[in-house]
Amino acid sequence: MLDRLGDKWTVLVVVELAKGVRRFRELERAIPGISQRMLTLTTKRLWRDGLVERTVYPTIPPQVEYRLTPVGHSLAGMVNGLADWSREHKDAIATARATWDADQEADRL
Amino acid sequence: MLDRLGDKWTVLVVVELAKGVRRFRELERAIPGISQRMLTLTTKRLWRDGLVERTVYPTIPPQVEYRLTPVGHSLAGMVNGLADWSREHKDAIATARATWDADQEADRL
């Protein structure tokens, strides 16, 4: 399951669904660069894992809605926590890298 | 930075260092399957990002110790939170998958 969090598309779909119910097309529009095939695969996996609920309305054409289950919401909470952590420490990490690179450069001279 | 959490070796090194200071050889032994090259690369990246501190003792041969910085510790906290989440929901996810697979099978018959 932890491996799954390394999957960019899974993370983006979970974050989007944390905002509310979404139709397939809405997810597609909200996640630039995702192909229809990849979105189908990602939502199917999340559905199979019980993290997402899928409702089909028998309209023409049929409408499909996705929403997080309670377990899915708890995962979204963790993912948002990580995203917050990442935002909070972005500058510190960038500074650390710049310092490290400068030190290495100095050692080389 | 979030991408990095999809890297299994980074996660395992961070989790191991969350337990305390480790020498290179100790990390190597604690993480089965990691190659010396991959461990060198992983610790170097974490060091460059300011998540890990590296101390070299001028013994013969030189001893190298790694420890988490405060930022590294806060990341370890997030990672451990995810691991806890994963453990807590493992059974629920396995059950959801089995139910889903059985439903698909039933639809096919």
Side-chain angles (χ1 to χ4, degrees):
Chain A
M1 191 60 220
L2 274 190
D3 297 5
R4 196 69 61 78
L5 289 176
D7 178 55
K8 177 184 158 188
W9 301 123
T10 299
V11 169
L12 292 174
V13 168
V14 166
V15 166
E16 185 58 27
L17 288 177
K19 298 176 198 165
V21 182
R22 293 287 185 272
R23 293 190 218 147
F24 191 88
R25 295 285 165 212
E26 291 175 322
L27 283 175
E28 211 175 3
R29 255 175 281 135
I31 303 168
I34 198 166
S35 66
Q36 204 166 315
R37 200 188 152 275
M38 188 49 76
L39 183 55
T40 302
L41 192 70
T42 305
T43 50
K44 195 170 170 182
R45 274 194 199 140
L46 288 166
W47 176 33
R48 180 172 178 252
D49 287 347
L51 300 171
V52 157
E53 213 177 277
R54 186 175 176 273
T55 315
V56 184
Y57 295 98
T59 51
I60 300 171
Q63 250 180 28
V64 186
E65 271 184 9
Y66 298 89
R67 78 190 71 215
L68 293 180
T69 61
V71 179
H73 270 293
S74 82
L75 178 63
M78 302 284 332
V79 168
N80 279 323
L82 276 172
D84 290 346
W85 185 92
S86 194
R87 256 192 302 277
E88 273 166 39
H89 295 89
K90 216 176 123 185
D91 291 347
I93 290 170
T95 305
R97 281 181 190 168
T99 309
W100 194 93
D101 291 351
D103 285 354
Q104 297 289 310
E105 193 56 36
D107 283 354
R108 217 172 289 140
L109 297 176
Chain B
M1 191 58 220
L2 274 189
D3 297 5
R4 196 70 61 78
L5 289 175
D7 178 54
K8 178 184 157 188
W9 301 123
T10 299
V11 168
L12 292 174
V13 167
V14 166
V15 166
E16 184 57 28
L17 288 178
K19 300 176 197 164
V21 182
R22 293 287 184 272
R23 293 190 218 148
F24 191 87
R25 295 286 166 210
E26 291 175 321
L27 283 175
E28 210 176 4
R29 256 176 280 135
I31 304 168
I34 198 166
S35 66
Q36 203 166 317
R37 201 188 151 276
M38 188 50 75
L39 183 55
T40 302
L41 192 69
T42 306
T43 50
K44 194 171 169 181
R45 274 195 198 139
L46 288 166
W47 176 33
R48 180 171 178 252
D49 287 348
L51 301 171
V52 157
E53 212 177 279
R54 187 175 176 274
T55 316
V56 184
Y57 295 98
T59 52
I60 300 171
Q63 250 180 29
V64 185
E65 272 185 6
Y66 297 89
R67 79 190 70 216
L68 292 179
T69 62
V71 179
H73 270 292
S74 82
L75 178 64
M78 303 284 332
V79 168
N80 280 323
L82 275 172
D84 290 346
W85 185 93
S86 195
R87 256 192 303 276
E88 273 166 40
H89 295 90
K90 215 176 124 185
D91 292 347
I93 289 170
T95 305
R97 282 181 189 166
T99 308
W100 194 92
D101 291 350
D103 284 354
Q104 298 290 309
E105 193 57 36
D107 283 353
R108 216 172 290 138
L109 297 176

